[in-house]
mmCIF file with all atom_site columns, all heavy atoms in Angstrom:
data_model
loop_
_atom_site.group_PDB
_atom_site.id
_atom_site.type_symbol
_atom_site.label_atom_id
_atom_site.label_alt_id
_atom_site.label_comp_id
_atom_site.label_asym_id
_atom_site.label_entity_id
_atom_site.label_seq_id
_atom_site.pdbx_PDB_ins_code
_atom_site.Cartn_x
_atom_site.Cartn_y
_atom_site.Cartn_z
_atom_site.occupancy
_atom_site.B_iso_or_equiv
_atom_site.pdbx_formal_charge
_atom_site.auth_seq_id
_atom_site.auth_comp_id
_atom_site.auth_asym_id
_atom_site.auth_atom_id
_atom_site.pdbx_PDB_model_num
ATOM 1  N N   . THR A 1 59 ? 51.187 -2.901  -40.387 1.00 96.00 ? 59 THR A N   1
ATOM 2  C CA  . THR A 1 59 ? 49.968 -3.054  -41.150 1.00 96.00 ? 59 THR A CA  1
ATOM 3  C C   . THR A 1 59 ? 49.228 -4.239  -40.654 1.00 96.00 ? 59 THR A C   1
ATOM 4  O O   . THR A 1 59 ? 49.825 -5.169  -40.049 1.00 96.00 ? 59 THR A O   1
ATOM 5  C CB  . THR A 1 59 ? 50.298 -3.217  -42.647 1.00 96.00 ? 59 THR A CB  1
ATOM 6  O OG1 . THR A 1 59 ? 51.106 -4.334  -42.852 1.00 96.00 ? 59 THR A OG1 1
ATOM 7  C CG2 . THR A 1 59 ? 50.998 -1.987  -43.261 1.00 96.00 ? 59 THR A CG2 1
ATOM 8  N N   . GLN A 1 60 ? 47.924 -4.202  -40.786 1.00 96.00 ? 60 GLN A N   1
ATOM 9  C CA  . GLN A 1 60 ? 47.131 -5.322  -40.424 1.00 96.00 ? 60 GLN A CA  1
ATOM 10 C C   . GLN A 1 60 ? 46.298 -5.788  -41.648 1.00 96.00 ? 60 GLN A C   1
ATOM 11 O O   . GLN A 1 60 ? 45.788 -4.956  -42.418 1.00 96.00 ? 60 GLN A O   1
ATOM 12 C CB  . GLN A 1 60 ? 46.173 -5.000  -39.239 1.00 96.00 ? 60 GLN A CB  1
ATOM 13 C CG  . GLN A 1 60 ? 46.846 -4.611  -37.993 1.00 96.00 ? 60 GLN A CG  1
ATOM 14 C CD  . GLN A 1 60 ? 45.831 -4.334  -36.886 1.00 96.00 ? 60 GLN A CD  1
ATOM 15 O OE1 . GLN A 1 60 ? 45.080 -5.199  -36.467 1.00 96.00 ? 60 GLN A OE1 1
ATOM 16 N NE2 . GLN A 1 60 ? 45.868 -3.130  -36.381 1.00 96.00 ? 60 GLN A NE2 1
ATOM 17 N N   . GLU A 1 61 ? 46.189 -7.097  -41.816 1.00 96.00 ? 61 GLU A N   1
ATOM 18 C CA  . GLU A 1 61 ? 45.440 -7.570  -42.929 1.00 96.00 ? 61 GLU A CA  1
ATOM 19 C C   . GLU A 1 61 ? 44.706 -8.827  -42.494 1.00 96.00 ? 61 GLU A C   1
ATOM 20 O O   . GLU A 1 61 ? 45.236 -9.629  -41.732 1.00 96.00 ? 61 GLU A O   1
ATOM 21 C CB  . GLU A 1 61 ? 46.434 -7.872  -44.139 1.00 96.00 ? 61 GLU A CB  1
ATOM 22 C CG  . GLU A 1 61 ? 46.599 -9.240  -44.575 1.00 96.00 ? 61 GLU A CG  1
ATOM 23 C CD  . GLU A 1 61 ? 47.562 -9.465  -45.724 1.00 96.00 ? 61 GLU A CD  1
ATOM 24 O OE1 . GLU A 1 61 ? 48.581 -8.856  -45.694 1.00 96.00 ? 61 GLU A OE1 1
ATOM 25 O OE2 . GLU A 1 61 ? 47.262 -10.312 -46.553 1.00 96.00 ? 61 GLU A OE2 1
ATOM 26 N N   . LYS A 1 62 ? 43.573 -8.914  -43.068 1.00 95.00 ? 62 LYS A N   1
ATOM 27 C CA  . LYS A 1 62 ? 42.755 -10.166 -42.782 1.00 95.00 ? 62 LYS A CA  1
ATOM 28 C C   . LYS A 1 62 ? 43.017 -11.210 -43.749 1.00 95.00 ? 62 LYS A C   1
ATOM 29 O O   . LYS A 1 62 ? 42.930 -10.998 -44.973 1.00 95.00 ? 62 LYS A O   1
ATOM 30 C CB  . LYS A 1 62 ? 41.235 -9.744  -42.750 1.00 95.00 ? 62 LYS A CB  1
ATOM 31 C CG  . LYS A 1 62 ? 40.373 -10.704 -41.998 1.00 95.00 ? 62 LYS A CG  1
ATOM 32 C CD  . LYS A 1 62 ? 39.180 -10.016 -41.437 1.00 95.00 ? 62 LYS A CD  1
ATOM 33 C CE  . LYS A 1 62 ? 38.511 -11.017 -40.490 1.00 95.00 ? 62 LYS A CE  1
ATOM 34 N NZ  . LYS A 1 62 ? 37.455 -10.485 -39.782 1.00 95.00 ? 62 LYS A NZ  1
ATOM 35 N N   . ARG A 1 63 ? 43.337 -12.410 -43.280 1.00 93.00 ? 63 ARG A N   1
ATOM 36 C CA  . ARG A 1 63 ? 43.515 -13.566 -44.090 1.00 93.00 ? 63 ARG A CA  1
ATOM 37 C C   . ARG A 1 63 ? 42.595 -14.659 -43.620 1.00 93.00 ? 63 ARG A C   1
ATOM 38 O O   . ARG A 1 63 ? 42.779 -15.257 -42.557 1.00 93.00 ? 63 ARG A O   1
ATOM 39 C CB  . ARG A 1 63 ? 44.982 -14.122 -43.984 1.00 93.00 ? 63 ARG A CB  1
ATOM 40 C CG  . ARG A 1 63 ? 46.061 -13.113 -44.430 1.00 93.00 ? 63 ARG A CG  1
ATOM 41 C CD  . ARG A 1 63 ? 47.408 -13.706 -44.212 1.00 93.00 ? 63 ARG A CD  1
ATOM 42 N NE  . ARG A 1 63 ? 48.478 -12.658 -44.220 1.00 93.00 ? 63 ARG A NE  1
ATOM 43 C CZ  . ARG A 1 63 ? 49.709 -12.811 -43.786 1.00 93.00 ? 63 ARG A CZ  1
ATOM 44 N NH1 . ARG A 1 63 ? 50.051 -13.969 -43.281 1.00 93.00 ? 63 ARG A NH1 1
ATOM 45 N NH2 . ARG A 1 63 ? 50.520 -11.813 -43.848 1.00 93.00 ? 63 ARG A NH2 1
ATOM 46 N N   . GLY A 1 64 ? 41.531 -14.795 -44.368 1.00 94.00 ? 64 GLY A N   1
ATOM 47 C CA  . GLY A 1 64 ? 40.469 -15.727 -43.902 1.00 94.00 ? 64 GLY A CA  1
ATOM 48 C C   . GLY A 1 64 ? 39.774 -15.099 -42.727 1.00 94.00 ? 64 GLY A C   1
ATOM 49 O O   . GLY A 1 64 ? 39.280 -13.951 -42.778 1.00 94.00 ? 64 GLY A O   1
ATOM 50 N N   . ARG A 1 65 ? 39.706 -15.786 -41.648 1.00 94.00 ? 65 ARG A N   1
ATOM 51 C CA  . ARG A 1 65 ? 39.101 -15.256 -40.412 1.00 94.00 ? 65 ARG A CA  1
ATOM 52 C C   . ARG A 1 65 ? 40.073 -14.704 -39.421 1.00 94.00 ? 65 ARG A C   1
ATOM 53 O O   . ARG A 1 65 ? 39.751 -14.258 -38.281 1.00 94.00 ? 65 ARG A O   1
ATOM 54 C CB  . ARG A 1 65 ? 38.247 -16.356 -39.759 1.00 94.00 ? 65 ARG A CB  1
ATOM 55 C CG  . ARG A 1 65 ? 37.107 -16.769 -40.614 1.00 94.00 ? 65 ARG A CG  1
ATOM 56 C CD  . ARG A 1 65 ? 36.109 -17.714 -39.995 1.00 94.00 ? 65 ARG A CD  1
ATOM 57 N NE  . ARG A 1 65 ? 36.603 -18.514 -38.877 1.00 94.00 ? 65 ARG A NE  1
ATOM 58 C CZ  . ARG A 1 65 ? 35.849 -19.276 -38.145 1.00 94.00 ? 65 ARG A CZ  1
ATOM 59 N NH1 . ARG A 1 65 ? 34.580 -19.376 -38.396 1.00 94.00 ? 65 ARG A NH1 1
ATOM 60 N NH2 . ARG A 1 65 ? 36.339 -20.015 -37.179 1.00 94.00 ? 65 ARG A NH2 1
ATOM 61 N N   . VAL A 1 66 ? 41.335 -14.739 -39.766 1.00 94.00 ? 66 VAL A N   1
ATOM 62 C CA  . VAL A 1 66 ? 42.427 -14.307 -38.867 1.00 94.00 ? 66 VAL A CA  1
ATOM 63 C C   . VAL A 1 66 ? 43.004 -12.994 -39.347 1.00 94.00 ? 66 VAL A C   1
ATOM 64 O O   . VAL A 1 66 ? 43.318 -12.780 -40.536 1.00 94.00 ? 66 VAL A O   1
ATOM 65 C CB  . VAL A 1 66 ? 43.573 -15.371 -38.804 1.00 94.00 ? 66 VAL A CB  1
ATOM 66 C CG1 . VAL A 1 66 ? 44.664 -14.930 -37.903 1.00 94.00 ? 66 VAL A CG1 1
ATOM 67 C CG2 . VAL A 1 66 ? 42.941 -16.677 -38.368 1.00 94.00 ? 66 VAL A CG2 1
ATOM 68 N N   . LYS A 1 67 ? 43.195 -12.033 -38.406 1.00 95.00 ? 67 LYS A N   1
ATOM 69 C CA  . LYS A 1 67 ? 43.839 -10.788 -38.663 1.00 95.00 ? 67 LYS A CA  1
ATOM 70 C C   . LYS A 1 67 ? 45.304 -10.852 -38.385 1.00 95.00 ? 67 LYS A C   1
ATOM 71 O O   . LYS A 1 67 ? 45.728 -11.322 -37.263 1.00 95.00 ? 67 LYS A O   1
ATOM 72 C CB  . LYS A 1 67 ? 43.199 -9.643  -37.831 1.00 95.00 ? 67 LYS A CB  1
ATOM 73 C CG  . LYS A 1 67 ? 43.661 -8.256  -38.293 1.00 95.00 ? 67 LYS A CG  1
ATOM 74 C CD  . LYS A 1 67 ? 43.004 -7.190  -37.484 1.00 95.00 ? 67 LYS A CD  1
ATOM 75 C CE  . LYS A 1 67 ? 41.826 -6.616  -38.235 1.00 95.00 ? 67 LYS A CE  1
ATOM 76 N NZ  . LYS A 1 67 ? 41.344 -5.393  -37.550 1.00 95.00 ? 67 LYS A NZ  1
#
Side-chain angles (χ1 to χ4, degrees):
T59 58
Q60 295 185 61
E61 115 181 42
K62 199 152 190 171
R63 299 180 198 161
R65 295 187 336 172
V66 178
K67 191 179 261 190

